[in-house]
Amino acid sequence: MTVKNSAIAQRSIAVAGPAPRGVLLAALGVAAFSLTFPSTVWGLESFGVWSLVSLRSTLAALIAGGFLLALRVRLPERRHWASLAVVGAGVVVGFPLLTTLALETSTSAHAAVVVGLLPLTTAVLAALRTGRRPSRAFWLAAVAGAAVVIVFTVAESGGSLRRGDLYLLGALLVCAAGYTEGGRLAREMPGWQVIGWALLLCLPLALAGTAAALSVEPVELTARGVTGLVWVAAGSTFFGLYVWYRGMAEIGIPRASQLQLAQPLLTLVWSVALLGERLSPAAPLAAAGVLVCIAVTQRARS
């Protein structure tokens, strides 16, 4: 095969669909994120809201800092720090804090509604931020998938709004901004460095918050509480965001964001298995509808 034909073949593969590795990485991120709410509920058994959020960020930053130091990674360029600040504000500080506050009064299953809205919000912000315009089929499938998740989760909560809904709405917006900026930045540096530097940027605030929170909030260590803290720090915040940003860099922000349509249903499964919450018989139907929408968005050209 000539060089020219090889290049044409590679372009054809790129047009035909997203790289399987990118889809796998983004899917691993979704799987990690799906455990976040149940793990947060576990963490709240041992720690107060502010202690849990601060310790989560501190531990994740120490893990990231260890990797960056061991591999002797250079500091990001000056032009990247503003984007890293957006990532930090959105996914390191804003989303964990607001969702943890929400989970004081909301169940893990109900809180999953914010994740159902997150893919569509991320796709919209990505289109505005990057100037790219996904196809009509993509948008129809994205809206349909979000609608399936919204109807399912609202029906599960009895159609009533909870006190934590404003927190969840705020978490949705700041997280979508962080995902969008992080996915864009992951095209210029490895995804683990994106979240690593964002975590380190927030470390001074996390340390101060940890010291202040632990001095006023009671701590009652339990196996589940410690396990929840470790997971939200190492699993959700570091590993999950690492593979998530790598996946977004390979398959694009809009397509990757639609994989998160499966996250609320996974969270519901974990909520039943880990927290004892009851799952409606409608879950398999909602899961099937979401998977159809994901398949459409993955095939739609963006």
Side-chain angles (χ1 to χ4, degrees):
M1 181 181 291
T2 65
V3 174
K4 180 178 180 180
N5 289 337
S6 177
I8 293 175
Q10 291 178 359
R11 286 196 299 269
S12 298
I13 292 174
V15 172
R21 186 180 69 170
V23 173
L24 176 61
L25 288 170
L28 284 174
V30 170
F33 297 153
S34 70
L35 280 161
T36 300
F37 289 163
S39 297
T40 299
V41 173
W42 275 12
L44 287 172
E45 293 182 4
S46 293
F47 305 95
V49 171
W50 298 94
S51 297
L52 181 60
V53 173
S54 299
L55 284 168
R56 168 182 179 170
S57 297
T58 299
L59 293 178
L62 292 176
I63 295 171
F67 277 99
L68 292 169
L69 182 62
L71 297 175
R72 298 180 179 180
V73 178
R74 294 182 178 180
L75 288 171
E77 297 178 22
R78 182 179 299 179
R79 61 190 178 91
H80 291 150
W81 284 109
S83 295
L84 289 170
V86 174
V87 175
V91 303
V92 177
V93 178
F95 186 79
L97 175 59
L98 292 171
T99 53
T100 302
L101 287 169
L103 286 169
E104 282 194 303
T105 56
S106 297
T107 65
S108 174
H110 179 79
V113 70
V114 70
V115 183
L117 295 173
L118 187 55
L120 183 58
T121 307
T122 302
V124 171
L125 291 182
L128 295 174
R129 181 69 176 86
T130 64
R132 298 180 62 185
R133 296 295 183 268
S135 66
R136 181 177 299 179
F138 175 94
W139 285 115
L140 289 175
V143 172
V148 169
V149 173
I150 292 170
V151 170
F152 176 70
T153 51
V154 170
E156 288 294 293
S157 67
S160 60
L161 295 177
R162 302 179 187 273
R163 195 180 76 183
D165 286 336
L166 290 178
Y167 289 134
L168 294 174
L169 179 59
L172 164 69
L173 295 176
V174 298
C175 190
Y179 280 175
T180 299
E181 201 63 23
R184 190 189 65 83
L185 197 55
R187 296 180 178 180
E188 302 183 37
M189 66 174 68
W192 74 273
Q193 291 184 25
V194 173
I195 184 58
W197 289 118
L199 283 164
L200 285 181
L201 188 63
C202 297
L203 181 57
L205 178 62
L207 288 172
T210 298
L214 290 178
S215 67
V216 297
E217 291 183 337
V219 175
E220 298 179 7
L221 296 181
T222 65
R224 295 207 320 177
V226 173
T227 300
L229 169 62
V230 171
W231 179 258
V232 293
S236 299
T237 305
F238 182 73
F239 172 76
L241 288 171
Y242 162 57
V243 294
W244 175 244
Y245 282 137
R246 282 198 62 182
M248 281 200 294
E250 293 194 18
I251 66 177
I253 298 172
R255 282 180 175 174
S257 69
Q258 300 315 302
L259 291 174
Q260 277 198 308
L261 288 169
Q263 187 175 327
L265 301 180
L266 289 174
T267 298
L268 291 175
V269 171
W270 294 125
S271 298
V272 171
L274 301 177
L275 303 177
E277 296 180 6
R278 301 183 64 180
L279 189 63
S280 161
L285 294 177
V290 167
L291 290 176
V292 168
C293 293
I294 291 175
V296 173
T297 59
Q298 293 302 298
R299 290 179 176 274
R301 294 180 63 183
S302 59

